[in-house]
Amino acid sequence: MKKIVVSLVALASLALGADVQTTEKPLKAHSELGYVQTSGNTETEAFNFELDIKKEWTKSVLTFEFDGQYATDKNVETKNKYTAEVDYGYKLSERFSLDYLVGFKSDKFSGFRYQFYTGPGAKYKAIDQEAHKLSLEGNLLYSVDQYEDVWVDALGTQLAYPYDGVVKDHISVPAYKDDYASYRIKGVYDWKILETLKFKQELTFRGSFEQADKYFIYSKTALNNKINSIFSAGISYKIDYVNLPADGKQKTDRTFAFNLILDY
């Protein structure tokens, strides 16, 4: 499925570079980089990276978003996850537009090999002021959740690894793939507290039409302080919630980060 991510990046790159002659607004990019390393009694590394690219021409708007985290503890990988989305929108007015979304998510320690979703939708700018902005989105999606293989012993007890270092009699339960009709609702609120200080709250709810208790929630709360025309410093708190997690996995994954931010 890495080919899907590569295809998303290629699609965004081609479209962002297309029709340069009719571009009304320059390409905008926003990136966030955070890194933490400890040594001595503990040896850990944590890395997070976000990239948002936006291109507008005539009535079209194309965006590419990437959000990834990676962490190790004593050189043992403890987190490896990323989400990539490409969204094409067509403005019907200054506040309302139609769009088409393609998304891919990979989280090595969630029990999902990958999650893929795509479908049409609409966006509306509910508030569009200098200090306050609120945008609402809704999409009807076709979703695919590919679960990881599960290894169990002769008694049916799930093993942490194929051989688990203890039990010799083990079998592999083939990976399960669930494809279903779903929907996504997203809200993004921006508050310009001061000229150099901004608050942002993003909330996403993605659920299945076929199974009411199967849903995913993502929240990001951020506070950014502008240093100059390009650089900012910020803190962010992310919550990734799965109501029906894979066997043996937690429902909630939290990430708190200090970031260096670039807008260009």
Side-chain angles (χ1 to χ4, degrees):
M1 293 307 298
K2 292 182 179 179
K3 293 181 179 179
I4 294 180
V5 179
V6 174
S7 298
L8 291 178
V9 177
L11 175 62
S13 301
L14 289 172
L16 288 172
D19 204 14
V20 177
Q21 298 299 323
T22 60
T23 298
E24 296 179 354
K25 296 183 180 180
L27 182 146
K28 293 183 178 180
H30 172 93
S31 60
E32 300 185 17
L33 176 64
Y35 179 75
V36 176
Q37 182 184 51
T38 64
S39 60
N41 292 324
T42 60
E43 296 182 7
T44 62
E45 280 189 312
F47 172 86
N48 68 277
F49 176 72
E50 289 188 47
L51 176 64
D52 299 338
I53 301 176
K54 181 178 181 181
K55 181 71 171 288
E56 295 186 48
W57 64 99
T58 57
K59 294 184 178 182
S60 298
V61 181
L62 186 75
T63 59
F64 172 74
E65 298 182 359
F66 179 88
D67 181 6
Q69 296 97 44
Y70 183 82
T72 61
D73 186 357
K74 294 182 179 179
N75 295 321
V76 177
E77 192 176 65
T78 56
K79 177 175 284 190
N80 187 337
K81 64 185 295 186
Y82 63 86
T83 302
E85 291 185 352
V86 174
D87 184 90
Y88 171 77
Y90 185 83
K91 293 182 179 180
L92 298 180
S93 69
E94 286 302 315
R95 286 180 176 265
F96 185 75
S97 61
L98 301 177
D99 77 302
Y100 191 89
L101 173 70
V102 180
F104 180 86
K105 180 179 180 180
S106 174
D107 187 348
K108 187 175 180 179
F109 298 96
S110 68
F112 293 96
R113 187 174 298 171
Y114 66 83
Q115 292 180 285
F116 173 80
Y117 46 93
T118 183
K123 298 182 180 182
Y124 178 68
K125 294 180 180 179
I127 302 175
D128 190 11
Q129 302 174 358
E130 178 66 24
H132 302 277
K133 297 182 184 297
L134 174 63
S135 64
L136 303 174
E137 305 175 20
N139 290 82
L140 300 176
L141 304 171
Y142 166 73
S143 297
V144 179
D145 294 342
Q146 176 67 65
Y147 292 82
E148 294 282 3
D149 294 337
V150 177
W151 293 84
V152 298
D153 61 18
L155 299 178
T157 304
Q158 184 174 341
L159 307 178
Y161 301 97
Y163 297 92
D164 211 34
V166 178
V167 182
K168 295 182 179 180
D169 296 328
H170 58 277
I171 58 174
S172 173
V173 179
Y176 170 67
K177 183 169 72 173
D178 185 19
D179 57 318
Y180 53 96
S182 64
Y183 60 93
R184 190 180 84 159
I185 301 171
K186 180 179 179 180
V188 180
Y189 171 69
D190 290 282
W191 177 23
K192 188 177 181 180
I193 304 173
L194 300 171
E195 191 63 33
T196 59
L197 186 63
K198 295 182 179 180
F199 170 84
K200 182 174 184 177
Q201 175 63 57
E202 178 181 334
L203 183 63
T204 302
F205 184 97
R206 182 164 57 91
S208 169
F209 281 117
E210 303 168 16
Q211 192 175 356
D213 56 351
K214 182 170 186 174
Y215 58 85
F216 309 86
I217 299 175
Y218 172 79
S219 170
K220 178 186 177 182
T221 305
L223 190 65
N224 302 331
N225 185 45
K226 203 165 189 61
I227 300 172
N228 55 38
S229 59
I230 297 178
F231 294 99
S232 302
I235 57 175
S236 63
Y237 182 64
K238 302 175 184 177
I239 299 176
D240 204 347
Y241 177 84
V242 181
N243 192 55
L244 292 179
D247 292 341
K249 304 299 180 180
Q250 298 292 322
K251 288 188 174 184
T252 307
D253 190 20
R254 299 178 177 87
T255 304
F256 182 79
F258 292 91
N259 303 310
L260 175 64
I261 302 169
L262 288 81
D263 290 287
Y264 47 95

